[in-house]
Structures are given as C-alpha cells and as structure tokens.
Amino acid sequence: MVISQASVIHEYATKKLSVSGVPGHFTESEQQKIAKLWTMLLAYFEEVKDKPVKVNGEYIHTLARDWSELDARDDFENEDPAALTQRAWQFTKGESSIKRFGLGSKKAKLTREELALDRYVNETTQQYINRINGRNVALMPDNFFPSFEHPSTDTRDFRDTFWSTVSIKQHPDYWVHRYMRSAGWDVDRAFSLIKGIIEWRAAEAMDKIISEGEIHSGHDEVRLCLSQLVGRDRLGYPLMFVRVRHIMPRANEGFVFKRYLLSQFEALQTVTRRFGRITMLYDFTGFTMDNTPFTMVQFMVFLGRKVYAESSSVLILLVDSWLFTNFWNLIRPFLDANLSARIIFVKDVSEVRQFIDDDQLPKELGGKNTFGAQFKLPEEGENAKMFDLDGRKEAEAEWRRRIADFESVTKKWCGCLASAPRSAEELNNLAALRDEAGREVERAELALNKFTRSRNNFERLGFVDAEGCLKLPGDQH
C-alpha cells in the first residue's frame, strides 16, 4: 500500500488521522496477512534456534587514544561548542588529517591543541564525566552480557534479538505492522525485511548500544544538542527539531557519529512506545555540504528506510539555500515511495505551520515554544538496578514467560484465522487473549529494561512517565 503526499498533507489539514490499515482497524484480508507473517516468523525462530548470529559490532568500537598529557588547561570549557567542533573539522584536513588518522604510528605526533580538539570531539560521555570528576565514575556495570540464557558477547540469538526489539511497543503487532506497511502488504517481502533487520541488529550488537545509551556515545554530539524533542505536531506526534548546520560528522571518527545516531533513535523508539510515529523538523538554514557528507546521508537513509521503517509521520525540510539541490540529489535515488511521500520541502516558517502549531514551533523559528535544548549529564546511582543481577534474572525469566504466552496464543489465533469454517466467537476470544498477552509482554519489558538499559536524557529531564511514555511540559495528549 503506497501512500501519497496529498493524503499526508490532508491528515494535517483536517487534524484527522487515517485508521486505514493500522492495528485495531485491520480488514479481514489484512488480518490474514498479519497472521501469515506471524506464522512465518514463529517457524523461523525454531529453524534458527541453534544458529546464533555472529557479532560484527561496527559501532561498538572504542578509540585507542592517549590523551594523558592533557590537563585542565586543555578543557575548552568556556568556548562555544559549535565553534570548537568546526575547528576540529578543519583539523581533519591536510597535514593534520594525516597525523590524526595515523595515531597508531609512533611517527604521528599531534600538537597539544590538535590532541585537545581530538579529545573534545571523540571522548564519550563516560570519559568526560570521569575527567571532570578526577576519578572513574561507575555509571553502569562494565561487564555487559546479552542475557542469562544467551550470555555470549560474540554471538546473538535471533529470537532474543527480535523480542528485545519488538517488546518495547505496546503490542508486538505495532512493530511487525510497520514492515508490512513498508512492504506494501506483501507478506514474503515483509518477512524478508524483518529477517534482514533483526540479523543486522544482532550483528551490530544493538542491545549493547541500547544498554550503554548516551554513556558510551560521543559527548560532543549531546553537548551540541544537535536534535531535541521540543513538542508535538498538529496530529499529536512527538516533534524532533534538528539543527543541520551544527552537524559536523567528519569532525570525529566515523563510527562515533553513527553510534550517536543509533543511540538517539533507540531512545526515541523507547519513549514513543505508544505513538506510532514521530515528526522530524530539519532546519537547513545556513547549512553547507560539510554538514551532510555522503556516507552520513547514506546511513541516515538506511535507518529511515530499513531499521526504523514507517516510524516518521512527516520529515519537514526547511531549506533556504540552492546548495540543498546537491544534497537532495544524494538522497533521492535511495528513497522508497512511502518515505518520499512523507518528506515535505518548505521555504519558510509559514509553510511549516501547516504541520506544527505556533505554540509548538521553536521560538528560534518564530514560534512561541520556548522549550530549549537541554542535556543533563548522567549521574552516579541512576542506573543502580543494572548492578542487581538477581533482580535482572528474575525480570528476564518473567519476560520470557510472557513472550512464550504471546507466541502460544498467536499460534492458536493464526490457526483459527486459517481454518474454514471457523467460529467467530472463538476468533474474538483468541484475539482478546492475544491483545492482553501483548500488553503483558510490554509490561514485562518495562520491568526488565530497568536492569538492562541505562536511563536516557528524556528520563533524566522527567519527560517519561511510569509506563515509559513521553510526557513533555504542557502535554495534553
């Protein structure tokens, strides 16, 4: 099912969400396809239960840097973060670049300023906190392991990876349905998409990235507040505001910025568990091509099309420069029809107001929303439950029980749908049992993630309620 941009714009003009083809409003044919997809997934879990996925972990590397000769004189604490990141980007050019990328060689020797800039843009939040405190601060355990049932850090279990991804939503169908939509309700294609993404998540150790969150992500990106949840759009979806001109992905090592993006998107997936989508407002005013290098653009398109397929309501691109033509030419060949339909180009703020009311529009764009970018540093003790292995073991066991219950009732539901003739009463009863089992999976995940996931900035700012849902200041949704 391919959507049109006209239908997306109509939803915002009328402030009325379409319920066509969404959970709770499936047609008979759509239910049959969802059931077929679940049958294929459950069968595949059995097929690969003894075939773990080997971890590659491109984004969980650590930098082998020696910054020990630096001291308080090299902290840049009173300087503008954006200007410093720009200086670090200049440092990656010419002779300094040769020295920087040869840091493993004894011949490579950076000046003190170059070394200080290298630390500024590449140190993690954990390293920064250790440095300003003059000691190792135990923000979370050092000995990460995926689970008690599958403790190896070298491989991942496919079924475990699937459920750790899916169970953050209020019902498993919400996540599975995204890929069905993305595949145009082609069951075989949806299965292939899900299989590929789960294998990718397993190979890239996404559970470790989620567990460590902002703690082991680059501190420069969160310090710059490149992206910030600022309110909601006209349909009530959470609104993320991105200042493109501040993005300098080539100022630091490539995997550092990509890991930042992954940790941010995963945090968003967690706190928007009850919202099907999120709206992204990209402010391209004053940007240059240095803000959007090709490899970063490719990676973001991959995330939007595959990893977080059908997660966006609209992506609003506020553009005031002819340079954007070059940027768009980089992106366009990689987009699918549904994602393209949700990308809206606007030339000025008056056009943005089609999608975002004035009280939610950031003040810097002429709106009345004074909610500013904030990042609160993690504090010692906020992840205390991550050190409680007995509590984690008990919570994991409950999570597995709830998943087994959901899989069991789903098999019965799929069988009932496939039978002919079938009892409408039996099908309705199974659907109700399945819905409740799905909610129990989410409740079990909420209990478990306190032991397995470090808290994120939204939680530290008090924007997440007891049910794990986003609650922004003045929220009426």
Side-chain angles (χ1 to χ4, degrees):
M1 181 176 65
V2 178
I3 63 168
S4 69
Q5 190 166 97
S7 66
V8 173
I9 292 172
H10 179 73
E11 285 187 345
Y12 280 87
T14 60
K15 287 191 174 183
K16 187 176 180 181
L17 280 168
S18 170
V19 296
S20 175
V22 300
H25 302 275
F26 290 144
T27 64
E28 172 75 13
S29 173
E30 288 166 346
Q31 280 194 73
Q32 293 281 358
K33 290 180 177 181
I34 290 288
K36 182 179 177 183
L37 179 56
W38 272 109
T39 299
M40 293 171 71
L41 287 168
L42 294 173
Y44 191 69
F45 294 163
E46 286 297 310
E47 182 182 333
V48 297
K49 66 180 180 181
D50 297 319
K51 300 175 183 178
V53 180
K54 182 177 172 53
V55 169
N56 169 40
E58 179 183 351
Y59 313 113
I60 58 174
H61 300 312
T62 55
L63 290 174
R65 293 286 206 265
D66 182 5
W67 296 312
S68 59
E69 69 182 77
L70 301 175
D71 56 35
R73 294 172 297 171
D74 308 295
D75 287 351
F76 301 121
E77 290 300 325
N78 297 318
E79 298 190 42
D80 176 52
L84 283 168
T85 304
Q86 176 68 34
R87 278 168 59 189
W89 159 226
Q90 295 299 322
F91 153 49
T92 66
K93 299 179 180 179
E95 182 181 349
S96 293
S97 176
I98 296 171
K99 290 195 292 183
R100 177 180 179 184
F101 293 111
L103 281 177
S105 166
K106 293 180 180 179
K107 295 180 180 179
K109 178 64 177 175
L110 302 181
T111 67
R112 191 179 187 96
E113 181 188 18
E114 289 171 342
L115 192 62
L117 284 169
D118 182 67
R119 181 181 69 180
Y120 189 83
V121 295
N122 282 310
E123 71 179 343
T124 65
T125 300
Q126 177 75 71
Q127 289 170 322
Y128 174 77
I129 290 174
N130 289 348
R131 179 162 62 82
I132 63 175
N133 282 277
R135 63 182 178 90
N136 290 328
V137 180
L139 297 174
M140 62 174 292
D142 293 327
N143 57 333
F144 169 84
F145 63 97
S147 68
F148 285 96
E149 193 162 306
H150 302 284
S152 171
T153 57
D154 297 325
T155 61
R156 293 294 187 273
D157 178 74
F158 184 93
R159 177 173 174 265
D160 269 17
T161 303
F162 174 87
W163 280 112
S164 64
T165 305
V166 173
S167 59
I168 65 169
K169 297 303 180 185
Q170 68 179 44
H171 191 289
D173 278 353
Y174 277 72
W175 190 89
V176 168
H177 169 247
R178 278 170 33 188
Y179 291 89
M180 189 69 94
R181 268 196 322 240
S182 181
W185 287 89
D186 181 320
V187 178
D188 291 332
R189 187 165 166 242
F191 173 78
S192 180
L193 283 171
I194 291 172
K195 176 177 173 291
I197 288 306
I198 296 302
E199 287 174 346
W200 178 86
R201 292 181 69 94
E204 296 302 342
M206 285 298 295
D207 53 357
K208 181 174 172 65
I209 291 175
I210 294 166
S211 176
E212 296 173 345
E214 295 147 346
I215 292 173
H216 289 288
S217 288
H219 185 59
D220 190 41
E221 283 74 24
V222 293
R223 174 171 42 209
L224 284 167
C225 291
L226 299 179
S227 58
Q228 184 72 27
L229 276 171
V230 294
R232 296 189 183 277
D233 69 9
R234 298 191 80 215
L235 294 178
Y237 291 126
L239 171 64
M240 177 69 82
F241 178 45
V242 182
R243 301 165 180 83
V244 178
R245 64 184 174 276
H246 289 165
I247 298 174
M248 280 288 169
R250 285 185 291 200
N252 48 29
E253 299 292 346
F255 80 89
V256 173
F257 189 77
K258 289 179 179 179
R259 176 164 180 155
Y260 160 76
L261 288 175
L262 290 170
S263 66
Q264 288 294 296
F265 276 115
E266 288 299 322
L268 282 173
Q269 292 296 305
T270 300
V271 301
T272 59
R273 60 180 63 228
R274 300 291 170 85
F275 305 98
R277 299 181 181 274
I278 187 168
T279 285
M280 307 285 288
L281 171 56
Y282 291 91
D283 180 7
F284 277 87
T285 58
F287 98 109
T288 71
M289 294 303 288
D290 287 341
N291 303 123
T292 55
F294 184 61
T295 53
M296 187 271 284
V297 171
Q298 276 188 312
F299 186 66
M300 291 194 69
V301 171
F302 166 69
L303 296 181
R305 280 191 61 195
K306 299 287 184 70
V307 183
Y308 306 106
E310 292 288 317
S311 291
S312 300
S313 179
V314 286
L315 294 93
I316 306 167
L317 279 53
L318 176 59
V319 181
D320 71 344
S321 170
W322 63 269
L323 281 173
F324 185 81
T325 302
N326 293 331
F327 174 77
W328 179 241
N329 287 337
L330 290 176
I331 297 177
R332 185 166 49 189
F334 302 102
L335 301 178
D336 60 30
N338 279 353
L339 186 56
S340 294
R342 295 188 181 278
I343 297 176
I344 310 290
F345 300 98
V346 296
K347 294 180 179 178
D348 55 51
V349 175
S350 64
E351 296 180 59
V352 177
R353 290 186 172 95
Q354 297 176 72
F355 308 95
I356 305 167
D357 290 331
D358 223 39
D359 64 331
Q360 300 295 304
L361 190 66
K363 188 176 181 180
E364 66 184 84
L365 294 182
K368 298 178 181 177
N369 185 351
T370 58
F371 181 67
Q374 303 174 60
F375 179 72
K376 187 176 180 181
L377 284 172
E379 296 180 355
E380 197 167 16
E382 71 181 27
N383 298 311
K385 284 198 170 185
M386 295 186 74
F387 294 87
D388 179 4
L389 293 181
D390 290 337
R392 175 179 171 177
K393 191 171 187 177
E394 183 178 339
E396 181 185 316
E398 175 64 11
W399 178 70
R400 292 187 184 283
R401 280 193 292 270
R402 295 303 181 181
I403 288 169
D405 290 345
F406 180 82
E407 289 181 346
S408 176
V409 73
T410 295
K411 286 177 183 177
K412 294 175 183 176
W413 175 74
C414 292
C416 187
L417 267 172
S419 64
R422 63 171 181 260
S423 163
E425 182 180 0
E426 181 187 7
L427 182 62
N428 289 337
N429 288 339
L430 285 170
L433 288 171
R434 185 171 177 271
D435 286 344
E436 180 56 30
R439 286 189 288 270
E440 289 295 337
V441 169
E442 188 210 10
R443 293 185 190 111
E445 187 280 331
L446 274 172
L448 176 60
N449 79 38
K450 293 176 174 60
F451 300 94
T452 59
R453 175 180 65 77
S454 60
R455 301 304 92 185
N456 58 51
N457 192 46
F458 308 123
E459 291 164 313
R460 288 193 293 277
L461 292 173
F463 298 159
V464 181
D465 65 18
E467 295 184 336
C469 293
L470 188 69
K471 293 289 183 184
L472 292 170
D475 231 339
Q476 300 299 315
H477 297 273

